[in-house]
Amino acid sequence: MKSNKLYSQALSNNIKKPVTKSEGSKFNLIERQGDLFVNAPQNSSLAHCVSADFRMGKGIASIFKEKFQSVEELVSQKKGVGEVAFLRRNEQYIFYIITKEKYFQKPTRRNFENSLYCLRRLCEELGVKVLSAPKIGTGLDKLPPEFVRKTISKVFDGCDLNMTIFYL
Ligand SMILES: Nc1ncnc2c1ncn2[C@@H]1O[C@H](COP(=O)(O)OP(=O)(O)OC[C@H]2O[C@H](OP(=O)(O)O)[C@H](O)[C@@H]2O)[C@@H](O)[C@H]1O
């Protein structure tokens, strides 16, 4: 686990490192059937998509809200569209990928991609090596699965991370 200093710097995004291609690192992306909250490895951080108002009224976001609460802590980070707010739970991080302003809107492809670059920077700053997510963006947010898959592969290319996408 990175030091608290790094954690608070990442929180305030003081570290504006560009995404780096770690030498010899290999980004692994796998998709597997399973319930994210039951089958994700214990040491895995989690990520999902939300709106900037943190309404989390439907879909898997509502389960995150029920499980991890701390909406006030998330709002206090003052993150906007294209950015990522996060919680720390012991050895795990919970990432809230902000892809749109209001809950009733749908994300643009550009904002979706920008928020994933932000997620990558955070994973590198915090030393996250194992990340699990649902099929982000493809349900209520109605982004085409192929676009989501390609964007994840593009954004995380060269990142030292094992990412598992769970689907029911
Ligand atoms: N336990 C589980 N394990 C594995 N997969 C699971 C699962 N539970 C559900 N899934 C599947 O995971 C996919 C994406 O699940 P979602 O559709 O929720 O996410 P999304 O990223 O498309 O949309 C996010 C916006 O939806 C809400 O906004 P609203 O208020 O509704 O406007 C939020 O606030 C966001 O802003 C769908 O296939 C679900 O079947």
Side-chain angles (χ1 to χ4, degrees):
M1 174 56 69
K2 293 284 183 184
S3 72
N4 278 330
K5 185 167 176 294
L6 189 58
Y7 166 69
S8 49
Q9 273 180 331
L11 200 58
S12 56
N13 264 354
N14 284 341
I15 310 173
K16 283 281 184 212
K17 278 192 306 180
V19 291
T20 52
K21 198 166 180 82
S22 327
E23 279 315 307
S25 69
K26 189 172 175 317
F27 174 58
N28 286 309
L29 174 64
I30 60 167
E31 295 188 13
R32 59 168 277 207
Q33 189 156 20
D35 183 321
L36 179 73
F37 301 108
V38 173
N39 304 111
Q42 281 297 315
N43 66 335
S44 175
S45 289
L46 304 177
H48 70 117
C49 294
V50 296
S51 42
D53 57 16
F54 289 100
R55 180 76 170 267
M56 299 190 276
K58 281 188 286 181
I60 196 168
S62 61
I63 306 174
F64 272 89
K65 183 176 179 179
E66 188 188 320
K67 257 178 95 68
F68 301 106
Q69 308 281 323
S70 306
V71 176
E72 273 179 33
E73 180 183 345
L74 291 164
V75 171
S76 73
Q77 295 175 23
K78 299 191 184 333
K79 297 297 179 202
V81 177
E83 295 184 295
V84 177
F86 65 96
L87 302 173
R88 188 167 58 167
R89 290 285 181 277
N90 304 318
E91 297 301 302
Q92 212 188 17
Y93 289 97
I94 318 295
F95 295 108
Y96 295 70
I97 308 166
I98 303 172
T99 56
K100 58 189 186 187
E101 198 59 50
K102 298 290 182 198
Y103 71 91
F104 49 82
Q105 295 168 334
K106 298 302 170 204
T108 65
R109 292 182 180 214
R110 168 68 59 200
N111 286 338
F112 181 78
E113 181 174 317
N114 288 344
S115 58
L116 288 189
Y117 275 112
C118 189
L119 175 61
R120 171 174 173 162
R121 259 199 302 278
L122 265 181
C123 286
E124 290 174 334
E125 288 160 10
L126 296 170
V128 172
K129 301 293 182 199
V130 183
L131 183 68
S132 299
K135 281 194 162 183
I136 53 172
T138 62
L140 295 164
D141 271 352
K142 297 200 184 318
L143 291 170
E146 197 41 45
F147 161 76
V148 170
R149 198 176 290 115
K150 281 191 180 144
T151 305
I152 292 173
S153 299
K154 179 174 86 170
V155 168
F156 286 92
D157 179 39
C159 181
D160 187 9
L161 179 72
N162 288 303
M163 186 186 292
T164 304
I165 300 289
F166 286 90
Y167 57 91
L168 294 175

